[in-house]
Amino acid sequence: QVQLVESGGGSVQAGGSLRLSCAASGYTDTTCMAWFRQAPGKEREAVASIYTTRGNTFYADSVKGRFTISQGNSENTLYLQMNSLKLDDTAMYYCAAAAYCSGLNMGGNKYWGHGTQVTVSS
């Protein structure tokens, strides 16, 4: 069982930056980690993913060039550096881990954190 705990959310003005962190613990059968987000009234969407063994990264078109997903040295920590934040980036952000990924699509066993809120204001 994998436990995921997100941190780093908060309120920021448009154009600003935030760095989200996700601490993973417990047995893991996963090869992929990702960040998702869900805005009020919208479906949850994948933002970025990373293959934990090979380091390949994938991004949603809406965040390319602005967000960077990365792992800590121990592979038990996941980060999302968010720059040039826009009003549309306001959402609850979730850390996720999966048995495997194909780009931004997760497969097999999936694990989710409880989320951290990001609010971007003008």
Side-chain angles (χ1 to χ4, degrees), residues 30-53:
T30 60
T31 65
C32 163
M33 294 189 76
W35 289 97
F36 283 70
R37 68 186 181 186
Q38 186 167 20
K42 295 186 177 181
E43 292 187 356
R44 189 174 295 189
E45 62 173 353
V47 174
S49 66
I50 185 168
Y51 294 174
T52 55
T53 54

Side-chain angles (χ1 to χ4, degrees), residues 16-17 37 59 61-68 81-89 93:
S17 298
R37 68 186 181 186
Y59 296 93
D61 288 343
S62 58
V63 306
K64 277 181 183 176
R66 300 188 299 121
F67 290 12
T68 302
Q81 178 67 43
M82 305 186 294
N83 298 328
S84 302
L85 282 161
K86 303 177 181 180
L87 298 180
D88 287 347
D89 295 319
Y93 283 72

Side-chain angles (χ1 to χ4, degrees), residues 7-106:
S7 61
S11 297
V12 64
Q13 287 192 320
S17 298
L18 280 175
R19 188 193 197 202
L20 305 183
S21 298
C22 172
S25 60
Y27 172 76
T28 175
D29 59 351
T30 60
T31 65
C32 163
M33 294 189 76
W35 289 97
F36 283 70
R37 68 186 181 186
Q38 186 167 20
K42 295 186 177 181
E43 292 187 356
R44 189 174 295 189
E45 62 173 353
V47 174
S49 66
I50 185 168
Y51 294 174
T52 55
T53 54
R54 291 183 287 166
N56 304 62
T57 58
F58 302 88
Y59 296 93
D61 288 343
S62 58
V63 306
K64 277 181 183 176
R66 300 188 299 121
F67 290 12
T68 302
I69 188 171
S70 62
Q71 298 178 100
N73 291 334
S74 67
E75 294 186 7
N76 289 333
T77 306
L78 183 71
Y79 301 104
L80 185 69
Q81 178 67 43
M82 305 186 294
N83 298 328
S84 302
L85 282 161
K86 303 177 181 180
L87 298 180
D88 287 347
D89 295 319
T90 295
M92 184 71 79
Y93 283 72
Y94 298 90
C95 176
Y100 59 89
C101 280
S102 176
L104 292 174
N105 299 306
M106 298 198 303

